[in-house]
Amino acid sequence: MHSVGGECDLGSPDRHYRKVQISARAEYAVRALLALAANDPTTSTAQALADEQGLPRKFLEAILSDLRRGGLVRSQRGAEGGYRLARPADAIAIGEVLRVVDGPLAGVRGERPEAAVYNGAAQNLQTVWVAVRAAVRNVLDEVTLADVLSGNFPSHVSEMVAAPGAWAPR
């Protein structure tokens, strides 16, 4: 998995700086869909997408298969065959892509945050985990492929990345 903001070595003194994890599978899926959106309505082969984005073709083919089953891409056979978006780029949120290839956006020990139950001093910790999921959704479910292609993000996202320290690791 790749981490947002850089790698984290769990054996290092900085191991407590774990970051939100975006898998290679999810990143590759978004990159492939962005390439399809940029070429819309033309179809693109898996090889062309892999070459353009520098992705392993076999891994990408498996991802495209998941995206097809998830209703995000359509495939076409034949001489003009390849893949294209199943819906307009402004109707596909990044969060939907991540859910199709990796499942839920946030979890606690592999469970949904609302399933985490704590006692004693930690009894209110579940609220924090649900808030983390809500914050992640607030970005990933509000940003579409079209937003990323154009660089015109929803105002709340633009404000977040413009905030002091947004680009600095902590």
Side-chain angles (χ1 to χ4, degrees):
M1 287 188 158
H2 296 290
S3 60
V4 173
E7 294 298 322
C8 177
D9 178 2
L10 293 178
S12 78
D14 294 328
R15 68 183 171 275
H16 59 280
Y17 291 116
R18 286 294 302 232
K19 294 163 180 71
V20 172
Q21 298 288 309
I22 305 297
S23 71
R25 183 176 199 80
E27 180 192 11
Y28 292 0
V30 173
R31 288 168 60 190
L33 289 174
L34 287 168
L36 289 174
N39 295 330
D40 194 47
T42 308
T43 59
S44 299
T45 65
Q47 185 65 56
L49 293 169
D51 290 346
E52 176 184 330
Q53 291 296 313
L55 306 176
R57 184 182 53 81
K58 285 289 190 190
F59 190 32
L60 180 59
E61 286 174 346
I63 293 167
L64 288 166
S65 181
D66 288 344
L67 295 171
R68 185 182 48 76
R69 282 192 297 277
L72 299 180
V73 300
R74 290 193 179 128
S75 59
Q76 180 177 321
R77 297 177 190 238
E80 299 295 318
Y83 295 89
R84 60 185 170 89
L85 295 181
R87 299 194 309 264
D90 63 358
I92 300 174
I94 303 299
E96 182 179 5
V97 178
L98 272 57
R99 285 185 193 92
V100 165
V101 297
D102 279 347
L105 296 177
V108 178
R109 292 173 284 128
E111 300 291 327
R112 294 182 182 271
E114 67 273 12
V117 178
Y118 302 96
N119 299 312
Q123 69 183 354
N124 296 311
L125 186 56
Q126 177 191 49
T127 301
V128 174
W129 303 146
V130 171
V132 167
R133 180 181 61 188
V136 169
R137 286 176 174 172
N138 194 35
V139 173
L140 297 178
D141 288 344
E142 300 299 322
V143 174
T144 67
L145 295 173
D147 296 332
V148 177
L149 274 178
S150 70
N152 294 321
F153 296 97
S155 60
H156 71 282
V157 174
S158 296
E159 290 168 10
M160 291 171 76
V161 299
W167 295 86
R170 318 192 234 181

